[in-house]
Amino acid sequence: SQQGEEDPQALSIQEGENATMNCSYKTSINNLQWYRQNSGRGLVHLILIRSNEREKHSGRLRVTLDTSKKSSSLLITASRAADTASYFCATDWGLNKLVFGAGTILRVKS
Amino acid sequence: DGGITQSPKYLFRKEGQNVTLSCEQNLNHDAMYWYRQDPGQGLRLIYYSQIVNDFQKGDIAEGYSVSREKKESFPLTVTSAQKNPTAFYLCASGQGVDEQFFGPGTRLTVL
């Protein structure tokens, strides 16, 4: 499969806790992106990290990239019920298209 | 979902029918993409177009066709050759691949 792999497949946490999702991929990339999908809706772009970057922040989101391990993690701090969604990583291999992972389903309980 | 629209939201197809899903964007993006999403799974690329009058097959193009006659429009036809078309279809656009903007999706069901 060309897809990246994400783990866990599903994550359930209490409001206020941090959520960490991981993404692994198979080949060298230009950048890695994270998207969110609310149930039955389209995806929304969250953050992009380039291959020469190691960490990036956006609000309550923190993304790390380890190109030697071909992996990335998305941390959502102080989670809220509204963060309940599916989260996908997508990799740009330089082929003018993105390859999406299978996603992590996050449930934040209030 | 702003700037990119898909219609219809729900579509039902009988066996042997071709159906066309609409995707329109007003973001002036050169590139447009069609993805298929099955329950509990990620997105798989069907077709993509980087410029008007040009498009490329993605990973699962068999049984699908597209056209790109206008920059704003990238319709997807699900043909009768697609044996298992029931899925959620997502259209996206972008200027390069640094960020893709998605439409709200069309849910296709075969009766």
Side-chain angles (χ1 to χ4, degrees), chain A residues 66-83:
Chain A
D66 186 335
T67 53
S68 66
K69 295 181 179 178
K70 294 185 171 58
S71 68
S72 173
S73 67
L74 171 67
L75 169 68
I76 303 174
T77 61
S79 62
R80 306 165 182 168
D83 294 328

Side-chain angles (χ1 to χ4, degrees), chain A residues 2 33 35 37 48 50 92, chain B residues 37 50 59 97-98 100 103:
Chain A
Q2 287 188 320
Q33 302 171 35
Y35 287 80
Q37 183 182 35
L48 175 152
R50 300 200 183 279
D92 169 16
Chain B
Q37 186 178 31
Q50 295 178 45
D59 300 317
V97 291
D98 279 4
Q100 290 188 7

Side-chain angles (χ1 to χ4, degrees), chain A residues 5 11 13 25 27 29 77 88 91 94 99 105:
Chain A
E5 295 186 3
L11 180 60
I13 59 174
Y25 55 92
T27 189
I29 58 173
T77 61
F88 296 90
T91 48
V99 178
I105 300 171

Side-chain angles (χ1 to χ4, degrees), chain B residues 37-65:
Chain B
Q37 186 178 31
D38 292 285
Q41 298 188 30
L43 279 64
R44 291 185 289 169
L45 184 64
I46 304 172
Y47 269 98
Y48 62 110
S49 167
Q50 295 178 45
I51 197 167
V52 175
N53 293 322
D54 188 41
F55 49 83
Q56 291 79 40
K57 292 182 179 180
D59 300 317
I60 56 166
E62 186 175 351
Y64 300 96
S65 66

Side-chain angles (χ1 to χ4, degrees), chain B residues 21 24 57 74 79-81 84:
Chain B
L21 284 60
E24 303 277 334
K57 292 182 179 180
F74 191 39
T79 75
S80 57
N84 184 23

